Amino acid sequence: MTSTKLPLPTGIKFVFGGTAGMSATMFVHPFDLVKSRMQLSGEGGAVKKNKTSFHALARVLRNEGFLGLYTGLTAGLFRQATYATTRLGVYTTLFDMMQSPDGQPPSFTTKILCGITAGAFGAVVGTPAEISLIRMTVDGRLRVLIGYLRFLNDCYLSCSLPLEQRRGYKNVFNALYRICVEEGVFTMWRGCGPTVFRAMVVNAAQLATYSQSKQLLLSTGFFKDGISCHFCASMISGFVTALSSMPLDIAKTRIQNMRHVDGIPQYRGVLDVWVKTAHQEGFRSLWKGFSPYYLRIGPHTVLSFIVLEQLKKLYYVL
């Protein structure tokens, strides 16, 4: 982009950000599914169905087929349409507000604070889709299209949950409707606290480590400011981000998927999840599902960046 080109309108930035996030999700959604099933495997001292991420992946492919990896995709796309769009919009707005009168960008610390704030707002808006995503990916029920221009039919395959425990949501909108009717509107924001904290940690870690990793890679002289550098910096950033945010992510996942027994919730909060998980499954279980979580964060950042840049080029061409 040259200096003679006008900046993108704010509304277009929102649309492009959401589109880029949704496009990347099409590729990394299977990692989300494996991560969710790993985090719930062995919950409450139950026998672990998935010993490793590769074991979980093999079980899905064997029992549900390749399309089983995309169970809950509508929720994943809806999450990006809400969370990613809101986060980018809020960040862009705050970034512009914090610029100096002469157009100088805000300081690195200010950028981190803007990112944390944007992540928190995005998490609040995206929590309903997040809950739907968690429940649909662990449910094991897949909705597929059979034939050309035929109605959608439910395909019941060998699932990760027993029949009596499956919720059987048809799509993200059916999930949101049933959650409201069966459990109350406020259930859509169950686990909002850990979701917000996770988003704040993720944004802070990503902004700091990605910037520093990119700077370090460029200083070696082996990289230019291009896709290869962005990919390596994203994978380094993803590792640090995953390591620091996984305990919050597993707490979020289990709270959003929990059931009430005789009116009593399975968990009382984040600390209760951590204590019970560490006691029943071991301390390292707080990082259960680390591999797919890490493999999702890095590529998702890279793919989002590539799609976003291509959309910008297309905008100026048209």
Side-chain angles (χ1 to χ4, degrees), residues 258-266:
M258 73 177 177
R259 296 177 181 272
H260 287 65
V261 180
D262 297 327
I264 301 176
Q266 189 175 359

Side-chain angles (χ1 to χ4, degrees), residues 21 25 45 63 134 179 191 203 220 236 247:
T25 294
N63 297 330
I134 295 300
I179 289 172
N203 277 269
T220 63
I236 295 173

Side-chain angles (χ1 to χ4, degrees), residues 247-262:
L248 282 169
D249 193 77
I250 195 171
K252 172 191 69 65
T253 297
R254 295 196 170 187
I255 289 175
Q256 291 175 337
N257 188 65
M258 73 177 177
R259 296 177 181 272
H260 287 65
V261 180
D262 297 327

Side-chain angles (χ1 to χ4, degrees), residues 22-34 37 57 60-61 64-77 132-133 136-145 157 169-172 303:
M22 293 172 70
S23 300
T25 294
M26 293 292 294
F27 293 93
V28 302
H29 181 77
F31 295 117
D32 251 341
L33 181 139
V34 173
R37 296 197 181 183
L57 177 62
V60 175
L61 291 173
E64 303 170 47
F66 177 78
L67 291 180
L69 294 173
Y70 286 88
T71 300
L73 178 61
T74 56
L77 293 175
S132 302
L133 174 63
M136 290 177 72
T137 52
V138 301
D139 202 26
R141 189 186 191 211
L142 179 64
R143 190 173 176 87
V144 296
L145 181 63
L157 300 169
Y169 299 138
K170 298 177 181 179
N171 52 55
V172 64
L303 291 170

Side-chain angles (χ1 to χ4, degrees), residues 37-68:
R37 296 197 181 183
M38 279 295 298
Q39 289 180 336
L40 294 173
S41 179
E43 184 179 16
V47 177
K48 293 183 180 180
K49 293 183 179 180
N50 303 311
K51 298 179 180 179
T52 66
S53 298
F54 295 105
H55 187 213
L57 177 62
R59 281 177 60 87
V60 175
L61 291 173
R62 183 176 63 252
N63 297 330
E64 303 170 47
F66 177 78
L67 291 180

Side-chain angles (χ1 to χ4, degrees), residues 1-293:
M1 185 187 304
T2 63
S3 58
T4 59
K5 292 180 179 179
L6 296 175
L8 291 173
T10 302
I12 295 297
K13 293 178 181 177
F14 273 71
V15 173
F16 283 2
T19 302
M22 293 172 70
S23 300
T25 294
M26 293 292 294
F27 293 93
V28 302
H29 181 77
F31 295 117
D32 251 341
L33 181 139
V34 173
K35 181 226 18 156
S36 295
R37 296 197 181 183
M38 279 295 298
Q39 289 180 336
L40 294 173
S41 179
E43 184 179 16
V47 177
K48 293 183 180 180
K49 293 183 179 180
N50 303 311
K51 298 179 180 179
T52 66
S53 298
F54 295 105
H55 187 213
L57 177 62
R59 281 177 60 87
V60 175
L61 291 173
R62 183 176 63 252
N63 297 330
E64 303 170 47
F66 177 78
L67 291 180
L69 294 173
Y70 286 88
T71 300
L73 178 61
T74 56
L77 293 175
F78 189 65
R79 179 183 181 274
Q80 291 300 318
T82 52
Y83 170 72
T85 303
T86 302
R87 180 179 66 165
L88 179 64
V90 172
Y91 180 79
T92 303
T93 301
L94 292 176
F95 186 92
D96 293 340
M97 291 174 57
M98 296 300 175
Q99 285 191 116
S100 61
D102 60 355
Q104 291 296 318
S107 66
F108 181 67
T109 303
T110 303
K111 290 178 184 177
I112 293 179
L113 293 176
C114 289
I116 291 174
T117 305
F121 275 99
V124 172
V125 175
T127 294
E130 186 87 27
I131 291 179
S132 302
L133 174 63
I134 295 300
R135 293 184 175 188
M136 290 177 72
T137 52
V138 301
D139 202 26
R141 189 186 191 211
L142 179 64
R143 190 173 176 87
V144 296
L145 181 63
I146 304 179
Y148 182 63
L149 291 181
R150 293 184 182 179
F151 290 107
L152 289 174
N153 293 311
D154 293 329
C155 179
Y156 293 94
L157 300 169
S158 179
C159 301
S160 62
L161 289 179
L163 181 63
E164 66 276 6
Q165 294 182 20
R166 283 184 271 155
R167 294 183 170 95
Y169 299 138
K170 298 177 181 179
N171 52 55
V172 64
F173 301 109
N174 176 253
L176 294 173
Y177 171 77
R178 284 184 50 190
I179 289 172
C180 290
V181 172
E182 298 171 5
E183 304 174 56
V185 175
F186 291 109
T187 304
M188 291 198 298
W189 280 272
R190 177 186 292 169
C192 186
T195 302
V196 169
F197 289 137
R198 172 192 170 278
M200 294 170 68
V201 171
V202 166
N203 277 269
Q206 280 184 331
L207 284 172
T209 57
Y210 178 80
S211 177
Q212 293 302 316
S213 299
K214 181 180 175 181
Q215 182 179 346
L216 178 62
L217 291 172
L218 290 174
S219 67
T220 63
F222 293 104
F223 291 90
K224 294 183 179 180
D225 193 1
I227 293 179
S228 60
C229 178
H230 301 155
F231 177 82
C232 292
S234 295
M235 297 308 289
I236 295 173
S237 173
F239 180 82
V240 177
T241 302
L243 192 65
S244 59
S245 64
M246 272 298 293
L248 282 169
D249 193 77
I250 195 171
K252 172 191 69 65
T253 297
R254 295 196 170 187
I255 289 175
Q256 291 175 337
N257 188 65
M258 73 177 177
R259 296 177 181 272
H260 287 65
V261 180
D262 297 327
I264 301 176
Q266 189 175 359
Y267 301 109
R268 295 190 300 271
V270 175
L271 290 178
D272 191 38
V273 175
W274 288 346
V275 171
K276 288 181 177 178
T277 301
H279 176 70
Q280 297 172 352
E281 305 167 49
F283 182 74
R284 290 189 299 175
S285 292
L286 294 176
W287 283 268
K288 186 183 295 183
F290 179 84
S291 298
Y293 185 54

